Amino acid sequence: EPEVTQTPSHQVTQMGQEVILRCVPISNHLYFYWYRQILGQKVEFLVSFYNNEISEKSEIFDDQFSVERPDGSNFTLKIRSTKLEDSAMYFCASRSRGDTNEKLFFGSGTQLSVL
Amino acid sequence: AQKVTQAQTEISVVEKEDVTLDCVYETRDTTYYLFWYKQPPSGELVFLIRRNSFDEQNEISGRYSWNFQKSTSSFNFTITASQVVDSAVYFCALSETNTGNQFYFGTGTSLTVIP
């Protein structure tokens, strides 16, 4: 089965530093997402991206966050100045259509630790 | 308000026992979709099932079965003859027509199957 690939699997950074989390969605998918999961808590929606622009974002996704699809394959999440509370598992997801019945394919996640 | 509630935070069962994971959802949409995802200790999110709001037939897939009841807004998941490999966190999720870009996840139920 096709996979969503995320790199790195673990990222450790100092507070205030910028981080970029990378994702390669499934090749024929058109809708891309970032979710995060703080340890022991539920998976929370951050942002969705379609046709090279953000289609929806949550309250969590403030000015410190940005997303980009720099080429035809990568989808990145940038945190400009990390805070301790940004420590979480970040999941990238994609789906082929925006239909509500389409399942999301998730990557294996990037564990971000902000020290 | 929580759109998806998983009241059971943690469940432990002995191998070969049956276990039911509860999921209650809230939506005003008439067309919506419900999902279950499994998160094993390795951290990735694995799709298990998708159900649309017009199909209340119960579904069985091997040792897994799902009971969808619109009258009680519930979409419960039963594992029959549980195995150690079933140990994971299980998330119920809702996708609505009006907010089609998002999945709303419950807080998850951590299942431990004891050998």
Side-chain angles (χ1 to χ4, degrees):
Chain A
E1 187 171 68
E3 288 184 343
V4 175
T5 305
Q6 288 186 245
T7 56
S9 56
H10 290 88
Q11 175 88 48
V12 181
T13 189
Q14 296 289 326
M15 191 170 59
Q17 294 294 306
E18 174 183 286
V19 293
I20 297 176
L21 309 183
R22 302 182 191 280
C23 170
V24 179
I26 295 171
S27 61
N28 63 343
H29 283 188
L30 302 176
Y31 295 82
F32 314 113
Y33 305 81
W34 283 100
Y35 284 78
R36 80 171 185 190
Q37 184 185 27
I38 295 172
L39 183 64
Q41 299 185 24
K42 68 178 179 182
V43 179
E44 299 175 295
F45 169 77
L46 291 179
V47 66
S48 60
F49 191 87
Y50 169 70
N51 200 25
N52 282 322
E53 60 183 23
I54 291 173
S55 43
E56 263 184 273
K57 60 183 181 179
S58 71
E59 292 178 353
I60 302 168
F61 194 88
D62 61 21
D63 292 344
Q64 293 300 310
F65 290 88
S66 63
V67 289
E68 193 177 33
R69 188 154 163 82
D71 51 44
S73 59
N74 291 285
F75 179 51
T76 62
L77 173 69
K78 181 192 292 186
I79 309 175
R80 289 190 183 82
S81 178
T82 50
K83 303 185 285 286
L84 294 177
E85 53 265 38
D86 293 328
S87 295
M89 176 77 89
Y90 287 81
F91 289 101
C92 173
S94 70
R95 58 185 179 186
S96 58
R97 306 195 308 265
D99 297 0
T100 54
N101 66 334
E102 271 297 300
K103 66 181 180 181
L104 288 178
F105 288 82
F106 284 89
S108 54
T110 294
Q111 180 65 54
L112 176 65
S113 298
V114 182
L115 306 179
Chain B
Q2 288 282 352
K3 284 186 176 285
V4 179
T5 301
Q6 294 179 257
Q8 303 149 307
T9 307
E10 295 181 4
I11 300 177
S12 291
V13 297
V14 176
E15 200 170 20
K16 297 184 184 177
E17 287 184 349
D18 299 347
V19 59
T20 296
L21 311 182
D22 298 333
C23 173
V24 175
Y25 62 91
E26 181 182 332
T27 181
R28 293 180 180 179
D29 281 9
T30 54
T31 303
Y32 53 90
Y33 292 82
L34 297 162
F35 301 77
W36 277 93
Y37 281 82
K38 175 181 180 180
Q39 186 178 41
S42 49
E44 72 271 27
L45 286 165
V46 179
F47 168 81
L48 294 178
I49 190 171
R50 167 186 58 219
R51 211 90 187 112
N52 75 58
S53 52
F54 297 108
D55 185 359
E56 286 193 73
Q57 281 197 345
N58 291 334
E59 181 155 343
I60 298 174
S61 176
R63 295 184 298 106
Y64 295 171
S65 62
W66 290 270
N67 183 1
F68 175 31
Q69 292 196 350
K70 287 179 75 170
S71 59
T72 55
S73 296
S74 65
F75 185 45
N76 296 339
F77 172 30
T78 297
I79 302 174
T80 303
S82 59
Q83 299 175 2
V84 173
V85 294
D86 296 328
S87 296
V89 180
Y90 291 86
F91 290 94
C92 181
L94 166 72
S95 179
E96 298 173 310
T97 304
N98 290 333
T99 57
N101 278 310
Q102 292 194 40
F103 272 39
Y104 297 96
F105 283 87
T107 50
T109 297
S110 177
L111 174 66
T112 301
V113 180
I114 303 165

